[in-house]
Amino acid sequence: ARLRPRRLPHPQFGTFLPFGNPRLVPSDRGEGWAVETGYSHAGLDPHSQPLRSPLDVLRRMPKNQEVGRTVLHGSDAVPYLRWVLPLINLGGAKSATVQDGVRLIEEAGGPEQFGRWAAAKRREWAAASTFGDTGDLSAIPASARLAFEMAVYEDAERAALEGELSALERAWAEAEGVAAIADDLLLPPTVKAKLGELKDESRGE
């Protein structure tokens, strides 16, 4: 399917405009997997640049052909996958496919391990496919594509949750500090009781 162009972050170019079908490939870097894709523009967003000549108007128009290819390794590929996988998986999935996707994530060892696991399974999937070993994400089993989509979103949610927990830990530390100060102050019993309640709430008691 032809994907709607959207400018996305890139670790080297700043931003890039993906083009064509993404391919899952192994990586020699720590995370062990990567996504290769074409692009029609890479670098600064032309829409953010001032118009100095009529040619600048043409530069802002989306290009309809591939001008280069890039490889996004591991976590660098996540923003791209969070955009492209819902488009590839467009149309939803049957409950059996969802269950198979969950099972594949468990088999991989969790969402953070799914990319490495899927890259290693590519040849096995290709052997059972009529498309051959293209590596295209659109050509791997539907349950695996759905699992990949769930994995990149679940991993993002986990990271967000870790951030929330860090903030909560800071709140706990602040509550401890306030309580310690309160113990040294001649505060009315009602105020001390309220501070104690807030401290207990921050601990989830």
Side-chain angles (χ1 to χ4, degrees), residues 1 21-22 88 131 135-140 145:
N21 291 325
I88 294 176
F131 298 102
D136 289 356
L137 285 176
S138 59
I140 70 176
R145 294 197 309 268

Side-chain angles (χ1 to χ4, degrees), residues 4-67:
R4 300 186 301 272
R6 177 181 174 183
R7 186 166 292 278
L8 294 165
H10 192 284
Q12 295 172 310
F13 304 145
T15 63
F16 77 114
L17 202 60
F19 188 89
N21 291 325
R23 299 179 67 243
L24 177 64
V25 295
S27 170
D28 57 3
R29 298 190 186 180
E31 290 167 286
W33 66 278
V35 172
E36 179 188 344
T37 184
Y39 61 87
S40 60
H41 184 277
L44 294 174
D45 184 350
H47 288 83
S48 67
Q49 307 305 305
L51 291 173
R52 295 191 178 91
S53 75
L55 289 177
D56 289 336
V57 177
L58 295 177
R59 294 189 183 102
R60 290 190 178 190
M61 295 176 64
K63 297 178 175 63
N64 60 359
Q65 62 183 5
E66 182 179 300
V67 298

Side-chain angles (χ1 to χ4, degrees), residues 184-200:
D184 294 332
L185 296 176
L186 296 176
L187 296 176
T190 54
V191 175
K192 288 188 175 183
K194 185 60 178 176
L195 286 172
E197 290 175 9
L198 292 172
K199 181 178 174 183
D200 290 342

